């Protein structure tokens, strides 16, 4: 990595910032809903538009970054992100809120996958896994800490988190513009080897084995389940249990601390002790039980404990599935990671839409549906165990 270390650090910060912005909106949603008298369905659409825009724009942006370079796309993406946050801060009507979320999704499509690509450009094959791991940790860290920070800043006014995020976006864009270096030296031997392997094995058919299909399905279910749960969480606990902004912020901040400890310090240890598949199975079971528990809870303590278990389960579930997927093949990493991101985006779109619509019908229906889907996924893990994935040599 050597001389490119500074550029890698800048990429990590950029990824963290974008994902922080994704999470900032979550604790504020019930107060926007109440102030402007929106339905839960309308709030679900607002949340899902971000993921939908990201899903549509990602392949287009990927091709663009190949032609014009990674750095210009990342810088434009960070400025676009700042614009989306400022628009959200000044919005007073549903169409403007929605436009802000679409612009935010476009910015995420510019920054996140392009950062991954540039991270690969700046490293050798030997170093690549470590750098991609750093970028993934930044992605997860932003998503984890965003809701807690958003809740704390919203204590001033609900618009404060978005002004704060917009300012950080501009600062990050300026630092990236002047400090980020693109590696112009192409490692021809590695590129030719990767291209040869991709031609030989890089097809969708080569990865559509039964256990792989099941794992891809679990990626979709986990993102759907997390967004189905998280997108309406603030609204749900506010309506059903009268949680105030400070309580929501406390819960999400505690979750951020616990999740970072689990992902940074405990994940590898857990994998070494029980393996990916057993961890996936346990995470699906715990999340299903605790989502149902929330619908039956009678005290704030019960809700808080169940919430922390649910978020912790999801925070271990996704990296466990991704780790297992990446072990399946060396030559199909691009294809596997591309499908991973696409399925995640689809789940991120469907989850909020489903939860918002069901909550307008009955307050508890979204979490009951999520419970059933997570329980079914837990049962599917036993099918995958019977057809284990053999790690690629």
């Amino acid at each position: 990595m050597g001389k490119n270390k500074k550029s890698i650090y800048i990429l990590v910060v950029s990824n963290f910032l974008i994902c922080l912005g994704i999470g900032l909106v979550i604790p504020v949603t019930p107060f926007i809903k109440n102030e402007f008298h929106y339905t839960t369905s309308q709030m679900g659409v607002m949340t899902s538009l971000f993921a939908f825009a990201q899903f549509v724009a990602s392949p287009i942006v990927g091709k663009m970054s190949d032609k014009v370079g990674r750095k210009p796309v990342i810088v434009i993406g960070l400025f676009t992100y700042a614009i989306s946050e400022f628009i959200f801060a000044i919005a007073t009507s549903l169409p403007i809120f929605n436009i802000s979320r679409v612009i935010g999704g476009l910015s995420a499509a510019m920054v996140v996958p392009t950062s991954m690509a540039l991270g690969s450009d700046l490293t050798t094959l030997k170093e690549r896994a470590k750098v991609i791991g750093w970028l993934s940790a930044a992605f997860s860290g932003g998503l984890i800490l965003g809701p807690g920070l958003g809740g704390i800043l919203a204590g001033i006014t609900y618009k404060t988190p978005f002004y704060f995020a917009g300012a950080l976006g501009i600062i990050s864009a300026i630092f990236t513009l002047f400090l980020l270096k693109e590696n112009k030296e192409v490692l021809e031997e590695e590129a030719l080897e990767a291209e040869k392997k991709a031609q030989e094995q890089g097809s969708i058919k080569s990865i559509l084995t039964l256990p792989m299909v099941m794992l891809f399905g679990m990626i979709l279910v986990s993102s759907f389940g997390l967004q189905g749960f998280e997108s309406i969480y603030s609204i749900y606990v506010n309506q059903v249990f009268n949680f105030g902004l400070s309580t929501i912020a406390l819960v999400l901040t505690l979750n951020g601390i616990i999740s970072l400890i689990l992902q940074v310090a405990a994940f590898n240890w857990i994998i070494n002790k029980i393996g990916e598949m057993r961890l996936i199975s346990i995470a699906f079971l715990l999340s299903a039980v605790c989502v149902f528990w929330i619908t039956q809870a009678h005290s704030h303590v019960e809700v808080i404990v169940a919430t922390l278990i649910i978020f912790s389960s999801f925070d271990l579930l996704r990296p466990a599935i991704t780790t297992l997927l990446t072990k399946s093949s060396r030559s199909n990493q691009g294809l596997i990671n591309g499908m991973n991101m696409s399925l995640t985006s689809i789940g991120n779109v469907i989850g909020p839409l489903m939860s918002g619509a069901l909550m307008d019908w009955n307050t508890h229906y979204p979490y009951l549906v999520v419970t059933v889907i997570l329980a079914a996924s837990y049962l599917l893990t036993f099918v995958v165990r019977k057809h284990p994935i053999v790690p690629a040599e």
Side-chain angles (χ1 to χ4, degrees):
M1 195 159 51
K3 61 182 180 181
N4 295 319
K5 187 175 290 186
K6 182 171 69 174
S7 294
I8 296 297
Y9 291 155
I10 293 171
L11 289 177
V12 169
V13 172
S14 298
N15 266 263
F16 176 79
L17 181 63
I18 283 289
C19 298
L20 190 71
I22 296 174
L24 282 173
V25 70
I26 292 170
V28 184
T29 51
F31 305 96
I32 294 175
K33 176 181 180 292
N34 294 336
E35 180 168 340
F36 295 98
H37 307 291
Y38 297 146
T39 65
T40 314
S41 295
Q42 289 172 322
M43 298 304 297
V45 170
M46 188 190 300
T47 303
S48 66
L49 280 173
F50 188 105
F52 180 74
Q54 184 180 10
F55 171 69
V56 172
S58 289
I60 300 171
V61 170
K63 290 182 180 179
M64 183 171 66
S65 72
D66 288 335
K67 293 182 179 180
V68 304
R70 317 291 191 202
K71 179 178 174 178
V73 174
I74 294 172
V75 171
I76 293 171
L78 288 167
F79 276 118
T80 304
Y81 163 75
I83 291 169
S84 75
E85 296 299 322
F86 288 137
I87 291 175
F88 201 93
I90 64 174
T92 56
S93 66
L94 186 61
I96 303 301
F97 280 121
N98 287 340
I99 289 171
S100 168
R101 291 294 87 192
V102 170
I103 296 173
L106 293 175
S107 70
M110 291 181 183
V111 175
V112 178
T114 311
S115 296
M116 292 287 186
L118 183 54
S120 295
D121 294 342
L122 294 171
T123 55
T124 63
L125 284 175
K126 184 178 180 181
E127 300 168 325
R128 198 156 298 162
K130 179 171 68 175
V131 171
I132 297 301
W134 288 356
L135 292 171
S136 297
F139 187 94
S140 298
L143 290 176
I144 290 166
L145 294 178
L149 179 60
I152 294 170
L153 292 173
I156 305 171
T157 165
Y158 81 84
K159 295 183 176 183
T160 303
F162 306 101
Y163 284 122
F164 180 78
L168 286 180
I170 291 176
I171 293 170
S172 181
I174 293 171
F175 271 90
T176 302
L177 178 63
F178 290 105
L179 299 179
L180 182 65
K181 304 293 182 183
E182 287 194 78
N183 189 3
K184 302 298 183 183
E185 299 176 3
V186 179
L187 301 177
E188 294 183 2
E189 186 175 339
E190 289 186 4
L192 289 172
E193 182 181 353
E195 183 179 352
K196 182 179 178 181
K197 288 183 177 180
Q199 290 174 347
E200 292 174 354
Q201 301 178 349
S203 65
I204 293 179
K205 288 183 179 180
S206 67
I207 61 173
L208 291 185
T209 61
L210 178 61
M212 289 291 283
V213 169
M214 291 289 187
L215 287 174
F216 281 128
M218 289 175 190
I219 285 286
L220 177 60
V221 168
S222 63
S223 60
F224 167 83
L226 177 58
Q227 285 303 310
F229 174 77
E230 187 176 35
S231 64
I232 63 164
Y233 176 76
S234 298
I235 298 173
Y236 182 88
V237 295
N238 176 254
Q239 288 186 5
V240 178
F241 299 101
N242 296 316
F243 275 28
L245 184 58
S246 59
T247 305
I248 295 172
L250 172 64
V251 173
L252 296 177
T253 303
L254 282 174
N255 166 67
I257 295 170
I258 294 170
S259 296
L260 282 177
I261 292 172
L262 286 174
Q263 289 193 331
V264 175
F267 180 70
N268 284 337
W269 180 82
I270 295 172
I271 292 297
N272 290 333
K273 286 291 183 180
I274 65 175
E276 292 91 352
M277 203 60 239
R278 187 169 293 177
L279 176 57
I280 292 168
S281 182
I282 293 171
F284 271 127
L285 178 60
L286 285 176
S287 58
V289 169
C290 290
V291 171
F292 181 73
W293 181 15
I294 286 181
T295 67
Q296 308 300 311
H298 298 290
S299 70
H300 283 197
V301 173
E302 287 182 79
V303 176
I304 292 171
V305 171
T307 299
L308 294 177
I309 294 173
I310 292 164
F311 279 125
S312 297
S313 297
F314 279 120
D315 290 332
L316 292 173
L317 178 61
R318 280 196 52 76
I321 298 173
T322 301
T323 301
L324 198 55
L325 280 170
T326 57
K327 287 183 176 181
S328 65
S329 172
R330 283 187 174 181
S331 59
N332 290 318
Q333 292 298 305
L335 180 60
I336 290 170
N337 288 319
M339 291 185 69
N340 188 339
M341 181 168 288
S342 294
L343 290 168
T344 299
S345 297
I346 293 171
N348 290 347
V349 171
I350 297 173
L353 291 176
M354 181 277 297
S355 289
L358 287 176
M359 193 170 183
D360 282 335
W361 193 7
N362 182 286
T363 307
H364 298 300
Y365 281 179
Y367 285 178
L368 293 175
V369 170
V370 169
T371 298
V372 171
I373 293 172
L374 293 174
S377 299
Y378 165 68
L379 296 176
L380 282 177
T381 61
F382 292 97
V383 177
V384 179
R385 284 189 190 186
K386 293 181 179 179
H387 302 83
I389 291 177
V390 179
E393 296 296 331

